[in-house]
Amino acid sequence: MIRRLLGTAAVVAVMALPAIAQAQGVPGGIERGARDGERAAGPVGAIVGGTIGGVVGGVAGVLGVDDRPRFRNYVVEQRRPSYTYSNEVRVGAVLPESGVTYYEVPAEYNSAREYRYTVVNGRTVLVEPRTHRIVEVID
């Protein structure tokens, strides 16, 4: 049974890895990995794919490792005002619809074009525009 489970996990990992590698951060990696894993190997695949997707997505993030400092500098140069938020600034937090100004991500950051950015408590964050959910905190 254990061999079968490990074999299934290996198959799922190999099949889901290309899709997971393009996932957007931890939440996107988990969702995409679970979906692709379930498609490839059922419930066990969903568990394995979600775990692998979260790890890969957490390492990659929405912005690549090289783009993060450059994007942070871009935001600092723009001198965007900081919104004061009473809760913890973290991935998954949902910002209010009003009172926060959301800005377009410049075209040169292709991996983040579908998101908006803002500054919250002095920290730059990428936000899903429809839900206002923070998808990445850029330190």
Side-chain angles (χ1 to χ4, degrees):
M1 181 67 178
I2 291 176
R3 280 188 190 175
R4 187 174 183 174
L5 181 62
L6 291 174
T8 302
V11 169
V12 169
V14 169
M15 294 181 76
L17 201 53
I20 295 167
Q22 293 181 14
Q24 305 285 321
V26 174
I30 291 170
E31 290 171 19
R32 198 163 191 177
R35 185 176 52 244
D36 292 346
E38 184 173 32
R39 215 174 314 144
V44 171
I47 294 167
V48 174
T51 302
I52 293 171
V55 170
V56 172
V59 170
V62 174
L63 288 172
V65 174
D66 295 334
D67 285 340
R68 291 173 68 90
R70 201 165 47 92
F71 184 74
R72 174 81 171 97
N73 288 337
Y74 165 81
V75 174
V76 169
E77 289 171 3
Q78 297 299 306
R79 298 179 186 204
R80 303 293 190 194
S82 180
Y83 173 78
T84 302
Y85 187 58
S86 60
N87 297 322
E88 180 185 359
V89 178
R90 61 171 176 73
V91 171
V94 177
L95 299 174
E97 289 184 34
S98 62
V100 182
T101 304
Y102 300 98
Y103 305 96
E104 297 268 334
V105 173
E108 65 193 86
Y109 301 100
N110 290 329
S111 63
R113 289 288 296 150
E114 67 185 88
Y115 300 103
R116 300 294 175 265
Y117 77 90
T118 193
V119 180
V120 179
N121 296 350
R123 300 173 78 186
T124 301
V125 298
L126 290 176
V127 178
E128 203 284 318
R130 191 176 39 79
T131 63
H132 304 286
R133 182 176 57 89
I134 297 174
V135 296
E136 186 163 358
V137 179
I138 300 162
D139 289 318

